[in-house]
Amino acid sequence: MGSERVRQRAQKLDSKQPDGKASTSKAAESRARGRVKPSVFSQVLRLTLFISWFLLCCAATFATQILGCWLYFVNKNYYHAYMALTKQSFGILCVTGTQWFSPTTIRVSGDKSVEGQLKLTKDGRLETNFPERLLIIANHQLYPEWVYLWWVAYTSRMHGHIFIILKESLKYIPILGQGMMFYGFIFMARDWLKDEPRMAHRLKKLTERHDGPMSGSQSLDPMWLLIFPEGTNLSANTRKNVSAKWAERSGKPDFKHQLLPRSKGSRFTLSQLRGTIEWVYDCTLAYEGIPEGGYAQDYYTLRSTYLEGRPPRVNMYWRRFPVSSIPLGDPGAFDEWLMQVWREKEKLLDYFAEHNKFPGSEAAVTGGASANGSTIKAAKEDGYIETEVRLAHWIEVGQIFVVVASIALIANVIVKAFNFVTNVAFA
């Protein structure tokens, strides 16, 4: 779907809301649910196709990892470069899975700190011009948010260099868990005595210098590290049993649209990475049509998003902070800095709740060299870019299978040659 069609659809949706405010009660729930629920047959067909595609790509990616793991014992630089390419393959899987089975519209805006870094292409895609090494922090409402942020990495051609901090239980998922371990993802047990040495070990690896083909500036590998400082996604349960209790113990006021962030892990991470990154990027995420007091996860489940094809309309607001301005040496000062960031995010979410969009910034939006002038003008006037999660070109899908297919082709040739020689010899 082109950007103009996306814009027209957004205008139709917005026109149904007086004064641009978010709808409430049944109207809000209806909009949050998105499209009409498909028939049982459609759901079964979509489920079959989605699982088949997902498992096929996961199997091909994991097989590619196994086929290249020997490089670790020969040349670690080439090993890390090879695994980055397989991580690109999984990023492509995330994008195609969303594009084909859960077409998702995303509205992206930001403040002046990201001026010139959000670009709209001629065909309506988002291109970001973020640094090759950074830390991303974000509020957490839905499980698929790591997919949406991986897509943002794709728009910067950094989808092979993203690292995510995850719950330890996820590494025991067959194939997926082992694949994530190959990727160098960081698994947390939520026990600081266990997590601290584990994080120190993994973060040290992210500051090592390599000379391989995928190395970045100053021989430091490109790296986007994603952290959700709240520790879990926002829900009625986590609001009551996690954030509210932490607010009571710490004496901090709880938030309306977010959970209270935890500063220990974030500060430790930044302290370990200090000197190797210059920026912390903050992404505030929000979803249209959630009624007051509602939780996004109750409206946009994994089933409704990917199996019923009723995804949310995602809104992102980007800012960035220089690491040099963050008080890492003082735990109390850092905790206050992080709380201030979350207070500002809360104001953004208040604005979103009232206007059904984040504030726009003309300075943040630009166009690529081939972008359409009128489209860019409209985007700059609105102060945001509206696009969809999709690949730049379908041919990129081939990357997922190229190694496995090549090995299979070579093996087939060898077997046929062997059979030919054998038949000739014993003829």
Side-chain angles (χ1 to χ4, degrees), residues 35-52:
R35 304 168 184 170
V36 176
K37 187 174 182 179
S39 65
V40 174
F41 174 78
S42 297
Q43 291 185 54
V44 172
L45 179 60
R46 182 185 292 270
L47 172 64
T48 303
L49 293 174
F50 176 76
I51 291 180
S52 298

Side-chain angles (χ1 to χ4, degrees), residues 185-201:
F185 287 179
I186 302 173
F187 297 94
M188 303 283 285
R190 296 184 178 178
D191 179 344
W192 190 243
L193 291 178
K194 296 180 180 179
D195 290 336
E196 183 177 9
R198 184 180 304 172
M199 285 189 67
H201 173 72

Side-chain angles (χ1 to χ4, degrees), residues 102-172:
S102 181
T104 302
T105 299
I106 297 188
R107 180 186 289 168
V108 184
S109 58
D111 67 5
K112 290 184 178 180
S113 67
V114 293
E115 181 175 355
Q117 297 186 33
L118 305 175
K119 297 183 179 182
L120 182 66
T121 66
K122 184 177 181 179
D123 59 351
R125 292 180 297 104
L126 172 70
E127 284 186 355
T128 54
N129 187 27
F130 293 172
E132 63 182 22
R133 290 185 61 86
L134 55 83
L135 176 72
I136 297 176
I137 56 175
N139 58 312
H140 196 10
Q141 299 191 54
L142 294 178
Y143 290 116
E145 284 170 341
W146 63 270
V147 175
Y148 304 141
L149 291 169
W150 205 324
W151 164 76
V152 173
Y154 170 81
T155 67
S156 270
R157 311 310 296 174
M158 292 293 296
H159 52 302
H161 302 286
I162 189 167
F163 296 83
I164 306 175
I165 296 179
L166 303 165
K167 293 187 295 186
E168 186 177 34
S169 58
L170 295 176
K171 75 178 182 181
Y172 299 110

